[in-house]
Amino acid sequence: MRVAAPVLASVLTLVVGSIFFASLGHDPLPTLYAFFVEPLNSLNGLSEWLLKASPLILIACGLAIGFRANVWNIGAEGQFTMGAIAASGVGLFWPNPDSVLLLPLMFVAGMGAGMAWAAIPAFLRARMNTNEILVTLMMTYIATLFLSYLVHGPWRDPAGFNYPQTALLPTAALFESFDPAYRLNPSIFITVVAVFVMWLFTDRSFLGYKMSVSGAAPLAARYAGFRESAAVWIGLMAGGAAAGIAGMAEAAGPLGQLSPQISPGYGFAAIIVAFIGRLNAFGIVLGGLLMSLLFLGGEGVQMTLGLPSALTRIFQGILLFFLLAADFFIFYRIRLIRPARDTHALETA
Amino acid sequence: MHPRLELRNICKRYPGVVANDDVSLSIQPGEIHAVLGENGAGKSTLMKIIYGAAQADSGEIFCDGNPIAAHNPATSRALGIEMVYQHFALFESVSVVENIALSASSAFDLPSLAAKIRELSLRYGMPIDPHRQVHDLSVGERQRVEIVRCLLQAPKLLILDEPTSVLTPQAVVKLFETLRQLAAEGCSIVYISHKLDEVQELCDTATVLRNGKVTGTARPKETTSLELARMMVGSKLPEMHVSPPTPSEKPVLEVNNLSVKARDHFGVDLKDVSFNVHGGEIVGLAGVSGNGQAELIALLSGERTHHNNDAIRICGTAAARLRADERRKLGLAFVPEERLGRGAVPSHTLWENAVLTAHRFGTVRNGLVDRRKASAFAAGIIDRFKVKANGPASTAQSLSGGNLQKFIVGREIALEPKLLLVSQPTWGVDVGASAFIRQTIVDLSRAGAAVLVVSEELDELFEICDRLLVICQGRVSPPLIRKTTDREEVGLLMTGRTMSTDQMAIGSGDVALQD
């Protein structure tokens, strides 16, 4: 049943999507083809598919570690942004722009910034029992506005015709594509490693075991003496680190500079990916590939059929909606009861 | 006259087990009928079949002389058959009347339903305020809600599944009064239990099950408990061997002037609690539930810490500020009263649940869980404690309460503790397994471990304990020597009535450590 729900949700999303296309005056089948198949018809399409799946999977892996312990970090978007800012800052201002250390330093800076951004809600939750859902979400807006401030103000490229963006990162600060014709770059290996680490952590490690106990039965965790604050810290740090690295890889990869639109919503979409993947490393890979396809397909039909760009978000929403609904109906059954007009039923009781 | 309910040759098989094998019984109107049996004897399956929650493979059911073909809980309720489950199904965040309205099969109207609840609950001597929130209710009151929910349907047959396993002795007395009144009004009652004394006190007739078969019927009031127990567990009734204690010189657990405020207004303040437990002896903590046991045990286990590190010493080390796992390093093991969700993670497998506290016993290496070792560890417990489970890979929630208890007790004892805390060791555990668990605890203590048993069952405490403490309203009495005290004295202390001073001197005083 746990596996059936995402499949069922995906199928229902397609069905509703078809109705949706039809209502917009497009023949559903060709439109679905244009949305879900055409983007993968070319090498470039495949490259873009993996390129976009990579940050989604990476972030989802980090988030899922927390989600398994009921630590709800929904501010990966902010941690992603801070990772991108810190990494770009190192790339732009490191004294020696040709250093081979530049990329590793940016990696560390991105990861560190993501973790630091997640450390604030972790501290507040562990020490003051604030709600991490609210805090992580609000921190996201701070991060986005901070980025906006930087690219409009101090970090704006003087030679950039007043566009809100930084100068391009030096070559040594960039992941070099596998092939100049396509954008896919070696940062995808970071994601591959992250998937393996996530699997090892959740499925094999004692720390991951403790986290799952904290999530499944908090009283049992206390009974065994597992620190609740440890679960909070590890959960938020894992998400922060993964999102920060993803932000770094995005800045040092396809973007090559900072602008206000560095993320098409990876941080939020990754939450859905984590749930579609059932918080499982390999499930997340599949979920990330699906979500990436939604991004690509949305862009594709926008260009070829002139459908609105909001379509991607709508599909994400429908998918999450059906997934949660499917999960709900696996565990609950709805029964209709009409309110009484008289107490006749009780009198006969 | 037709019997209210008649079962003829009921058979029910599950993969690998015959849960009910040719079971027949009949219950007259107004009769209180016990279904006695150990865990896994097939009682619950039989009740599910009567209630329609499960279907028999073969056999017939008659209600008032009419055969019931395929039925389900809804049709049962239409026939006037109601069931109170052992585990309540109440929504904590809403009021009593809303809970009852939610389960109503027909339309409802809250104000009149509330009035009805008030009237019914008063009539049967178990008053409840229909507008109270369920999370504010004690376990006994929650059970009343469940019973009133059934009574609203004016049942002809009421099934109660081990209703007293969660009740205080006083609440049991109240419940029995209600049940007798119901029976006097013509309602038949099926009372599932493995507690012989209760069955003898309450029930007119009894059907005894063993391994899914009826091994006898009896009139409990005219039958000795020995005979009933024989029918339940077979010819071989386990015997307890309790040798005299050999207390160690130094105490293993020392509690010094432990005082603590309750966390919320449902809790009980502990006031100046002091006692010692020595290696080689079993100390019992008696008391009516809700008098501070939960607070004390959480402080002793390390689930809750205390700022005064010296208030609790384990093996001579100040431990009140240590977390549970740090205390376990000092030699503590602990069996909590809640098995699911505290002593074990419900959705985890048994081998995973073995790792919960046995992670220092080779099941974790280099930060990785060694599945093979953990499985072997769990298999060892299953084997040694005769846990009925489909191997180490079955989940904790798939086990019956008694079997999970055996597993948890087994796990904690396998840790070879110097100090074992046990809370309600045999709640919901059948006669055979209870005796086994008690014997294991005794053996552990005679091998040198210090044991503190918290229990509401005085019989149990008197059977295995060397010394007894009584907790009442957060105060712990001076220790009583089991051989020189009696139920009356303990009972008085449990209800908080202080004895005259000279009696106190005889009861405890300077004899505390000699035996």
Side-chain angles (χ1 to χ4, degrees):
Chain A
M1 287 308 244
R2 297 272 298 156
V3 183
V7 175
L8 185 68
S10 306
V11 171
L12 286 170
T13 306
L14 289 185
V15 172
V16 173
S18 308
I19 298 170
F20 201 67
F21 289 139
S23 73
L24 288 170
H26 291 271
D27 195 356
L29 278 180
T31 317
L32 281 178
Y33 182 83
F35 201 110
F36 289 103
V37 183
E38 228 158 64
L40 306 181
N41 266 349
S42 64
L43 259 183
N44 185 50
L46 290 174
S47 152
E48 289 295 303
W49 187 34
L50 295 179
L51 184 80
K52 287 189 191 307
S54 174
L56 288 168
I57 295 168
L58 177 58
I59 300 171
C61 279
L63 292 180
I65 285 176
F67 291 169
R68 281 171 163 250
N70 286 349
V71 175
W72 304 110
N73 175 7
I74 59 163
E77 186 81 1
Q79 293 139 22
F80 176 95
T81 304
M82 292 311 283
I85 291 174
S88 303
V90 170
L92 289 170
F93 303 113
W94 192 253
N96 176 5
D98 298 323
S99 167
V100 287
L101 284 178
L102 201 50
L103 213 47
L105 281 170
M106 288 167 65
F107 178 88
V108 172
M111 182 167 81
M115 289 168 79
W117 211 240
I120 297 168
F123 174 80
L124 291 173
R125 159 85 195 264
R127 292 298 293 274
M128 293 164 203
N129 208 20
T130 54
N131 184 322
E132 77 279 12
I133 299 177
L134 293 176
V135 179
T136 51
L137 182 62
M138 291 190 290
M139 299 285 293
T140 296
Y141 296 109
I142 300 176
T144 313
L145 288 171
F146 182 57
L147 171 68
S148 176
Y149 161 74
L150 287 177
V151 296
H152 282 94
W155 285 13
R156 186 166 51 183
D157 182 7
F161 306 104
N162 241 352
Y163 277 109
Q165 60 192 27
T166 63
L168 286 174
L169 291 169
T171 318
L174 296 175
F175 285 110
E176 195 186 341
S177 300
F178 292 118
D179 183 317
Y182 310 117
R183 298 203 295 169
L184 189 65
N185 64 59
S187 71
I188 193 163
F189 294 125
I190 299 176
T191 301
V192 173
V193 171
V195 169
F196 177 75
V197 169
M198 149 87 183
W199 169 80
L200 191 72
F201 183 84
T202 53
D203 262 46
R204 289 287 183 267
S205 80
F206 185 45
L207 217 49
Y209 169 82
K210 287 184 183 178
M211 300 274 291
S212 77
V213 173
S214 299
L219 285 178
R222 176 167 288 190
Y223 161 76
F226 303 158
R227 259 184 266 223
E228 195 198 345
S229 59
V232 170
W233 275 102
I234 294 169
L236 276 158
M237 287 301 98
I245 294 169
M248 173 267 173
E250 198 67 10
L255 299 181
Q257 66 186 147
L258 281 183
S259 71
Q261 295 83 32
I262 50 159
S263 166
Y266 286 147
F268 293 122
I271 298 171
I272 306 176
V273 170
F275 278 103
I276 297 175
R278 312 268 78 167
L279 308 184
N280 168 291
F282 304 109
I284 284 172
V285 173
L286 297 178
L289 290 171
L290 175 64
M291 187 58 67
S292 164
L293 188 56
L294 287 181
F295 276 109
L296 280 185
E299 280 172 24
V301 295
Q302 188 187 351
M303 284 185 281
T304 55
L305 302 173
L307 284 167
S309 65
L311 215 52
T312 302
R313 292 282 171 89
I314 289 173
F315 265 95
Q316 286 178 7
I318 296 174
L319 183 59
L320 182 62
F321 173 80
F322 278 123
L323 181 70
L324 296 179
D327 274 351
F328 181 83
F329 285 114
I330 285 171
F331 292 110
Y332 298 94
R333 193 178 56 174
I334 284 184
R335 202 160 53 101
L336 288 177
I337 299 180
R338 264 172 293 127
R341 282 204 198 82
D342 58 301
T343 52
H344 173 73
L346 286 167
E347 300 308 328
T348 58
Chain B
M1 193 163 84
H2 292 293
R4 174 59 45 80
L5 181 82
E6 191 177 3
L7 302 183
R8 286 188 202 155
N9 314 102
I10 296 289
C11 292
K12 176 77 181 170
R13 275 175 203 84
Y14 287 112
V17 233
V18 182
N20 287 149
D21 187 0
D22 200 23
V23 175
S24 301
L25 60 84
S26 91
I27 301 162
Q28 300 299 327
E31 177 181 331
I32 305 183
H33 189 102
V35 175
L36 262 173
E38 297 198 289
N39 290 328
K43 296 179 305 229
S44 297
T45 305
L46 193 63
M47 291 312 113
K48 281 186 197 156
I49 289 171
I50 296 176
Y51 191 53
Q55 304 296 325
D57 296 333
S58 62
E60 294 166 298
I61 307 174
F62 296 88
C63 182
D64 291 326
N66 305 313
I68 310 175
H71 71 314
N72 56 41
T75 55
S76 295
R77 296 178 75 184
L79 285 168
I81 301 174
E82 292 285 333
M83 179 152 179
V84 178
Y85 285 95
Q86 194 178 355
H87 304 286
F88 309 144
L90 295 172
F91 296 98
E92 302 224 339
S93 52
V94 297
S95 69
V96 170
V97 58
E98 286 165 321
N99 258 290
I100 290 177
L102 277 168
S103 69
S105 51
S106 52
F108 56 81
D109 165 59
L110 284 184
S112 68
L113 185 58
K116 192 103 184 166
I117 292 168
R118 202 183 297 271
E119 180 216 314
L120 257 181
S121 65
L122 277 175
R123 174 138 65 92
Y124 288 99
M126 39 180 196
I128 353 171
D129 177 356
H131 296 295
R132 274 179 74 190
Q133 303 286 305
V134 168
H135 63 76
D136 279 348
L137 302 181
S138 70
V139 181
E141 288 172 314
R142 286 175 198 213
Q143 188 178 52
R144 289 178 180 183
V145 177
E146 291 277 9
I147 294 174
V148 167
R149 168 145 91 188
C150 295
L151 295 186
L152 277 169
Q153 309 296 323
K156 288 193 284 185
L157 177 72
L158 185 61
I159 307 168
L160 296 122
D161 189 1
E162 303 201 358
T164 58
S165 61
V166 292
L167 297 185
T168 61
Q170 290 86 338
V172 170
V173 173
K174 284 262 180 215
L175 174 69
F176 283 6
E177 283 169 13
T178 305
L179 295 182
R180 288 199 188 98
Q181 188 184 344
L182 264 173
E185 291 172 12
C187 178
S188 305
I189 291 168
V190 180
Y191 187 89
I192 309 173
S193 182
H194 55 249
K195 292 187 183 159
L196 299 175
D197 51 336
E198 287 177 1
V199 167
Q200 285 179 312
E201 191 188 331
L202 180 73
C203 300
D204 308 313
T205 50
T207 298
V208 188
L209 293 181
R210 186 169 76 237
N211 294 331
K213 287 191 185 130
V214 175
T215 51
T217 51
R219 299 194 157 274
K221 285 170 185 155
E222 296 153 23
T223 314
T224 65
S225 31
L226 195 65
E227 281 171 78
L228 288 174
R230 285 239 167 86
M231 285 188 229
M232 267 169 79
V233 297
S235 53
K236 230 172 56 197
L237 200 62
E239 267 179 61
M240 289 284 302
H241 303 283
V242 185
S243 53
T246 47
S248 62
E249 218 167 283
K250 284 187 181 156
V252 175
L253 172 70
E254 296 163 74
V255 181
N256 308 313
N257 305 321
L258 180 67
S259 295
V260 71
K261 284 257 169 248
R263 276 205 178 149
D264 48 49
H265 60 277
F266 307 118
V268 174
D269 298 346
L270 291 182
K271 292 163 202 129
D272 210 20
V273 173
S274 297
F275 62 89
N276 289 340
V277 183
H278 291 249
E281 70 165 349
I282 303 178
V283 174
L285 183 73
V288 179
S289 78
N291 270 291
Q293 291 97 325
E295 288 79 3
L296 180 59
I297 203 93
L299 281 161
L300 292 178
S301 70
E303 288 162 305
R304 215 180 142 183
T305 53
H306 192 266
H307 59 87
N308 177 9
N309 210 10
D310 267 333
I312 298 166
R313 297 178 81 89
I314 297 172
C315 297
T317 310
R321 276 193 222 149
L322 298 182
R323 273 198 325 274
D325 58 332
E326 296 165 321
R327 295 189 200 192
R328 285 172 179 279
K329 274 188 205 155
L330 298 176
L332 170 81
F334 169 43
V335 180
E337 61 187 72
E338 296 95 352
R339 292 143 204 174
L340 278 178
R342 187 164 165 201
V345 181
S347 55
H348 280 187
T349 62
L350 291 181
W351 70 259
E352 284 173 300
N353 273 302
V355 178
L356 193 64
T357 60
H359 48 83
R360 264 188 282 282
F361 287 73
T363 55
V364 173
R365 276 189 312 173
N366 305 325
L368 297 184
V369 176
D370 187 332
R371 292 188 176 197
R372 212 187 301 160
K373 281 258 176 68
S375 286
F377 190 89
I381 299 168
I382 292 170
D383 188 45
R384 187 174 151 206
F385 287 81
K386 300 176 193 77
V387 180
K388 276 182 198 153
N390 262 335
S394 41
T395 59
Q397 63 200 357
S398 71
L399 266 63
S400 72
N403 272 306
L404 186 58
Q405 179 72 351
K406 283 200 269 184
F407 181 80
I408 294 173
V409 169
R411 179 187 70 195
E412 297 304 298
I413 283 175
L415 303 179
E416 296 164 1
K418 294 194 186 94
L419 169 63
L420 178 69
L421 302 178
V422 196
S423 189
Q424 314 297 352
T426 58
W427 256 4
V429 181
D430 59 58
V431 178
S434 292
F436 178 73
I437 287 175
R438 287 176 195 150
Q439 187 65 55
T440 316
I441 293 172
V442 170
D443 294 345
L444 184 79
S445 97
R446 296 313 177 239
V451 181
L452 178 69
V453 181
V454 180
S455 177
E456 279 174 40
E457 286 180 38
L458 277 185
D459 291 343
E460 175 168 272
L461 292 176
F462 271 91
E463 189 172 5
I464 61 173
C465 295
D466 305 309
R467 291 191 294 147
L468 287 169
L469 306 164
V470 182
I471 188 165
C472 181
Q473 291 171 359
R475 288 180 199 280
V476 171
S477 75
L480 309 167
I481 304 290
R482 189 233 320 179
K483 285 183 180 156
T484 59
T485 183
D486 53 26
R487 271 152 230 265
E488 208 172 311
E489 186 181 18
V490 174
L492 274 176
L493 287 167
M494 279 169 73
T495 53
R497 268 171 282 175
T498 40
M499 287 186 278
S500 63
T501 33
D502 47 324
Q503 267 180 308
M504 276 295 268
I506 298 164
S508 60
D510 50 359
V511 288
L513 266 179
Q514 310 155 8
D515 194 20

Coordinates of all heavy atoms in Angstrom, one line a residue, chain B residues 479-504:
Chain B
P479 N 9.8 0.9 54.5 CA 9.6 -0.4 53.9 C 9.0 -1.4 54.9 O 9.2 -1.3 56.1 CB 11.1 -0.9 53.6 CG 11.9 0.1 54.4 CD 11.2 1.3 54.6
L480 N 8.2 -2.3 54.4 CA 7.6 -3.3 55.2 C 8.2 -4.7 54.8 O 8.4 -4.9 53.6 CB 6.1 -3.4 54.9 CG 5.3 -2.1 55.0 CD1 3.9 -2.3 54.4 CD2 5.2 -1.7 56.5
I481 N 8.5 -5.5 55.8 CA 9.0 -6.8 55.5 C 7.8 -7.7 55.1 O 6.8 -7.8 55.8 CB 9.7 -7.5 56.7 CG1 10.8 -6.5 57.2 CG2 10.3 -8.8 56.3 CD1 12.0 -6.4 56.3
R482 N 7.9 -8.4 53.9 CA 6.8 -9.1 53.4 C 6.3 -10.2 54.5 O 5.1 -10.3 54.7 CB 7.2 -9.9 52.2 CG 6.0 -10.5 51.5 CD 6.2 -12.0 51.2 NE 7.5 -12.3 50.7 CZ 7.9 -13.5 50.4 NH1 7.0 -14.5 50.5 NH2 9.1 -13.8 50.0
K483 N 7.3 -10.8 55.1 CA 6.8 -11.9 56.0 C 6.2 -11.4 57.3 O 5.5 -12.2 58.0 CB 8.0 -12.8 56.4 CG 8.4 -13.6 55.2 CD 9.6 -14.5 55.6 CE 10.0 -15.4 54.3 NZ 11.4 -15.8 54.4
T484 N 6.4 -10.1 57.6 CA 5.8 -9.7 58.9 C 4.6 -8.7 58.6 O 4.1 -8.2 59.6 CB 6.9 -8.9 59.7 OG1 7.4 -7.8 58.9 CG2 8.0 -9.8 60.1
T485 N 4.3 -8.5 57.4 CA 3.2 -7.6 57.1 C 2.1 -8.4 56.5 O 2.2 -9.6 56.2 CB 3.6 -6.4 56.2 OG1 2.5 -5.6 56.0 CG2 4.0 -6.9 54.8
D486 N 1.0 -7.8 56.3 CA -0.2 -8.5 55.6 C -0.9 -7.5 54.7 O -0.6 -6.3 54.7 CB -1.1 -9.1 56.7 CG -1.6 -8.0 57.7 OD1 -1.6 -6.8 57.3 OD2 -1.9 -8.4 58.8
R487 N -1.8 -8.1 54.0 CA -2.6 -7.3 53.0 C -3.3 -6.1 53.7 O -3.5 -5.0 53.1 CB -3.7 -8.1 52.3 CG -3.2 -8.8 51.1 CD -3.9 -10.1 50.9 NE -2.9 -11.2 50.7 CZ -2.6 -11.6 49.5 NH1 -3.1 -11.1 48.5 NH2 -1.6 -12.5 49.4
E488 N -3.8 -6.3 54.9 CA -4.5 -5.3 55.6 C -3.7 -4.1 55.8 O -4.1 -2.9 55.5 CB -5.0 -5.8 56.9 CG -6.3 -5.2 57.4 CD -6.8 -6.0 58.6 OE1 -6.9 -7.2 58.6 OE2 -7.1 -5.3 59.6
E489 N -2.5 -4.3 56.3 CA -1.6 -3.2 56.6 C -1.3 -2.4 55.3 O -1.4 -1.2 55.2 CB -0.3 -3.7 57.2 CG 0.6 -2.6 57.7 CD 1.9 -3.1 58.3 OE1 2.2 -4.3 58.1 OE2 2.5 -2.3 59.0
V490 N -0.9 -3.2 54.2 CA -0.6 -2.6 53.0 C -1.8 -1.8 52.4 O -1.7 -0.7 51.9 CB -0.1 -3.6 52.0 CG1 0.1 -3.0 50.6 CG2 1.2 -4.2 52.5
G491 N -2.9 -2.5 52.5 CA -4.2 -1.9 52.0 C -4.5 -0.6 52.7 O -4.9 0.4 52.0
L492 N -4.3 -0.5 54.0 CA -4.5 0.7 54.7 C -3.6 1.8 54.2 O -4.0 3.0 54.0 CB -4.3 0.5 56.2 CG -5.5 0.0 57.0 CD1 -5.1 -0.3 58.4 CD2 -6.6 1.0 57.0
L493 N -2.3 1.5 54.1 CA -1.3 2.5 53.6 C -1.7 2.9 52.2 O -1.5 4.1 51.8 CB 0.1 1.9 53.6 CG 0.7 1.7 55.0 CD1 1.9 0.9 54.9 CD2 1.0 3.1 55.6
M494 N -2.2 2.0 51.4 CA -2.5 2.4 50.0 C -3.6 3.4 50.0 O -3.7 4.3 49.1 CB -3.0 1.1 49.2 CG -1.9 0.3 48.7 SD -2.5 -1.3 48.1 CE -3.3 -0.8 46.6
T495 N -4.6 3.3 50.9 CA -5.7 4.3 50.9 C -5.3 5.6 51.7 O -6.1 6.4 51.9 CB -6.9 3.7 51.5 OG1 -6.6 3.1 52.8 CG2 -7.5 2.6 50.6
G496 N -4.1 5.6 52.2 CA -3.6 6.8 52.8 C -4.0 7.0 54.3 O -3.8 8.0 54.9
R497 N -4.7 5.9 54.8 CA -5.0 6.0 56.2 C -3.8 5.6 57.1 O -3.3 4.6 56.9 CB -6.2 5.1 56.6 CG -7.5 5.8 56.4 CD -8.6 4.8 56.5 NE -8.8 4.1 55.3 CZ -9.7 3.1 55.1 NH1 -10.4 2.6 56.1 NH2 -9.8 2.5 53.9
T498 N -3.4 6.6 57.9 CA -2.2 6.3 58.7 C -2.6 5.4 59.8 O -3.6 5.5 60.4 CB -1.5 7.5 59.2 OG1 -2.6 8.4 59.6 CG2 -0.7 8.2 58.2
M499 N -1.7 4.4 60.1 CA -1.9 3.6 61.3 C -1.5 4.3 62.5 O -0.7 5.2 62.5 CB -1.2 2.3 61.1 CG -1.8 1.4 60.0 SD -1.1 -0.1 59.9 CE 0.3 0.2 59.0
S500 N -1.9 3.8 63.6 CA -1.5 4.4 64.9 C 0.0 4.1 65.0 O 0.6 3.2 64.4 CB -2.2 3.7 66.1 OG -1.9 2.4 66.1
T501 N 0.6 5.0 65.8 CA 2.1 5.0 65.8 C 2.7 3.7 66.2 O 3.7 3.2 65.7 CB 2.6 6.1 66.7 OG1 1.7 6.3 67.8 CG2 2.7 7.4 65.9
D502 N 2.1 3.0 67.2 CA 2.7 1.8 67.7 C 2.6 0.7 66.6 O 3.6 -0.1 66.4 CB 2.1 1.3 69.0 CG 0.6 1.4 69.0 OD1 0.1 2.3 68.4 OD2 0.0 0.5 69.6
Q503 N 1.5 0.7 65.9 CA 1.4 -0.2 64.8 C 2.5 0.0 63.7 O 3.1 -0.9 63.2 CB 0.1 -0.1 64.1 CG -1.0 -1.0 64.7 CD -2.3 -0.9 64.0 OE1 -2.8 0.3 63.9 NE2 -2.8 -1.9 63.5
M504 N 2.8 1.3 63.5 CA 3.8 1.7 62.5 C 5.2 1.1 63.0 O 5.9 0.5 62.1 CB 4.0 3.2 62.5 CG 3.1 3.9 61.5 SD 3.3 3.5 59.8 CE 4.5 4.8 59.4

